[in-house]
């Protein structure tokens, strides 16, 4: 069946619920997991980027630190569940594409993810990353609610 499962997380409660369910599936199947978190790059509408360089640096540090904390928690949960786990962090304007690309390059045979992350309003404004993964992935996708 499935031997390598990609589990994307974004730090939301629903994503952690999906992580726990994905880890349970991996344990039952004897599969390994890769846990991925994707953060957005710094964006500005100002033409004066020199003025914002300090803000950019601080944003990038904070985004990486936050992503790393999500991954450390995920790795600890995987270890407690007895599941082999690697973690990955990516910066992208298109999280769904980063998810699909990593699944393909890491040889994953399943993407297991929660139905949505940071809330219904964000999904309405930005579009659901889960829906985009479902629409564009050639790999099987399991969606947790």
């Amino acid at each position: 069946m499935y031997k390598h499962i990609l589990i994307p997380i974004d730090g939301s409660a629903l994503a952690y619920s999906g992580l726990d369910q994905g880890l349970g599936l991996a344990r039952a199947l004897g599969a390994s997991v890769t846990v991925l978190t994707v953060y957005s790059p710094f964006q500005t509408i100002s033409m004066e980027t020199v003025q914002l360089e300090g803000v950019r640096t601080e944003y990038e540090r904070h985004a990486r630190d936050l992503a790393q904390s999500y991954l450390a928690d995920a790795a600890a949960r995987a270890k407690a569940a007895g599941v082999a786990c690697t973690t990955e962090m990516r910066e992208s304007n298109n999280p769904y594409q980063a998810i699909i690309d990593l699944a393909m390059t890491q040889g994953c045979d399943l993407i297991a993810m929660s139905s949505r992350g940071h809330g219904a309003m964000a999904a309405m404004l930005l579009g659901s990353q889960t829906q985009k993964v479902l629409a564009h992935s050639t790999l099987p996708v399991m969606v947790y609610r």
Side-chain angles (χ1 to χ4, degrees), residues 2-134:
Y2 302 115
K3 299 295 180 200
H4 187 185
I5 302 170
L6 176 65
I7 306 174
I9 61 172
D10 64 5
S12 67
L14 189 59
Y16 278 117
S17 176
L19 170 66
D20 291 339
Q21 292 178 64
L23 291 172
L25 176 64
R27 183 179 58 242
L29 296 175
S32 64
V33 301
T34 297
V35 179
L36 168 68
T37 192
V38 181
Y39 65 92
S40 297
F42 181 79
Q43 297 179 8
T44 178
I45 57 171
S46 171
M47 299 300 281
E48 300 293 329
T49 57
V50 172
Q51 296 174 354
L52 296 174
E53 201 55 42
V55 174
R56 175 189 308 272
T57 300
E58 182 61 22
Y59 168 83
E60 289 172 351
R61 184 194 60 76
H62 177 72
R64 283 191 304 272
D65 289 350
L66 192 58
Q68 190 56 47
S69 73
Y70 299 158
L71 295 174
D73 186 33
R77 289 176 187 227
K79 183 175 181 178
V83 174
C85 175
T86 58
T87 60
E88 296 284 340
M89 178 188 331
R90 296 288 186 272
E91 177 185 65
S92 177
N93 283 319
N94 297 305
Y96 81 93
Q97 192 63 57
I99 292 166
I100 293 168
D101 290 348
L102 185 71
M104 298 303 289
T105 61
Q106 294 294 313
C108 297
D109 47 19
L110 176 69
I111 301 170
M113 59 193 302
S114 61
S115 58
R116 67 175 194 280
H118 285 296
M121 183 57 78
M124 284 174 48
L125 295 175
L126 304 173
S128 168
Q129 297 304 310
T130 303
Q131 288 175 336
K132 291 177 184 177
V133 170
L134 284 166

